[in-house]
Amino acid sequence: MSDVEGRLEKLENRVGELEDINAIRRLHWAYGYYIDFNKAADVAQLFAEDGEVTFLSGVFKGHEGIFRLYGTWFQNLFLENGGEGPVDGFLLDHFQMQDIITVAPDRQTAKGRFRGMLFGGSHESREWKPEGLPLQFMEAGIYENDYVREGDVWKIKRLDYMMQWQGDYEAGWSKTVSHLQPLTECYPDNPIGPDYLLDEKDIRKTWPSRQDVPMHFAHPKFGALLLGQELKQ
């Protein structure tokens, strides 16, 4: 019986881990759909109360900072007079894929790596067009995120998006310099700025510069030895 009980306990833990992975995958995919249409309030609720976003070498902290990024900044950048989409003639579709999710042994925290692709821009018939935004553009980046369980619900603890490249659709990435550049000024001096900037040595230059995005997971050959230690860091 002790052998049966042990096997059942392992199976229960494995099933629970798989449920966690699916819940985190659903959480991140929901994030992608919400940012498609600039639903800033819905995005903020996906984060823990002390959650944060690292974007363009700036860190936006807590629900207030997260809403400043997705609401005050993005809603007013992409949509005339702010607000939510969808808006006729405006495209901002985010594709979230290639996820690798690693749940901690106690199932209270997790890490996830996703690849994101973005297609955006405006139809030529749209009267109002975002200033400084190409008419048609493509973008790709990598997420290395932290997640935390709040009660029975998984939330985003830290979302770290590292943009890898941008390309004007007509010219392609071979003839494009990123229209997004690292942030240089914090809130409140910059009303849409981050709460603080990364250290100078950690500043992430944008396309055509390239930088490594460290993986939270170990190579499969060594994972059994290193997994526990990595998740504690």
Side-chain angles (χ1 to χ4, degrees):
M1 287 300 295
S2 61
D3 180 58
V4 172
E5 290 173 355
R7 291 170 61 190
L8 284 175
E9 182 179 358
K10 289 181 178 180
L11 286 172
E12 288 175 352
N13 288 336
R14 181 56 179 157
V15 170
E17 181 184 31
L18 292 173
E19 290 177 342
D20 293 335
I21 290 173
N22 280 330
I24 292 168
R25 182 179 291 131
R26 179 186 177 93
L27 169 64
H28 188 80
W29 287 351
Y31 162 83
Y33 281 113
Y34 286 139
I35 59 176
D36 283 350
F37 295 140
N38 290 281
K39 296 183 178 296
D42 291 319
V43 170
Q45 292 303 313
L46 300 177
F47 286 79
E49 288 294 331
D50 60 348
E52 61 184 42
V53 175
T54 302
F55 178 68
L56 293 180
S57 299
V59 180
F60 298 78
K61 293 184 65 64
H63 284 196
E64 180 179 346
I66 292 167
F67 188 85
R68 187 188 320 125
L69 170 63
Y70 294 102
T72 309
W73 183 3
F74 286 177
Q75 284 183 338
N76 287 283
L77 170 64
F78 296 133
L79 306 178
E80 186 176 16
N81 301 318
E84 299 180 353
V87 171
D88 290 346
F90 182 64
L91 175 70
L92 196 69
D93 285 355
H94 299 76
F95 300 86
Q96 314 290 331
M97 61 192 80
Q98 293 183 320
D99 51 278
I100 296 180
I101 299 168
T102 308
V103 179
D106 64 2
R107 296 181 53 210
Q108 297 304 303
T109 60
K111 293 180 179 290
R113 185 182 181 96
F114 291 79
R115 184 181 301 278
M117 292 198 68
L118 166 62
F119 293 85
S122 300
H123 192 269
E124 61 182 2
S125 65
R126 188 184 183 198
E127 293 185 6
W128 185 89
K129 297 179 178 63
E131 183 178 354
L133 198 69
L135 200 62
Q136 298 182 121
F137 69 94
M138 306 171 291
E139 177 182 318
I142 293 176
Y143 298 88
E144 271 287 348
N145 301 338
D146 292 331
Y147 302 90
V148 63
R149 186 195 295 275
E150 290 188 348
D152 294 328
V153 179
W154 281 98
K155 296 288 189 73
I156 304 170
K157 174 75 171 182
R158 182 184 63 89
L159 184 139
D160 190 347
Y161 175 69
M162 288 164 271
M163 190 254 286
Q164 294 296 290
W165 58 265
Q166 286 184 325
D168 292 359
Y169 190 81
E170 292 85 353
W173 48 82
S174 67
K175 298 181 179 180
T176 298
V177 173
S178 174
H179 64 268
L180 290 176
Q181 296 295 321
L183 300 171
T184 59
E185 192 177 32
C186 295
Y187 179 85
D189 294 332
N190 178 1
I192 58 174
D195 292 278
Y196 67 91
L197 301 173
L198 297 180
D199 293 339
E200 186 174 352
K201 62 180 177 59
D202 298 322
I203 296 298
R204 300 159 180 175
K205 298 179 181 179
T206 53
W207 181 255
S209 296
R210 295 298 305 275
Q211 292 176 273
D212 182 36
V213 183
M215 302 176 188
H216 76 265
F217 50 91
H219 187 282
K221 183 176 180 180
F222 308 107
L225 297 174
L226 300 177
L227 177 60
Q229 179 180 350
E230 287 189 348
L231 287 173
K232 292 177 182 178
Q233 294 177 351

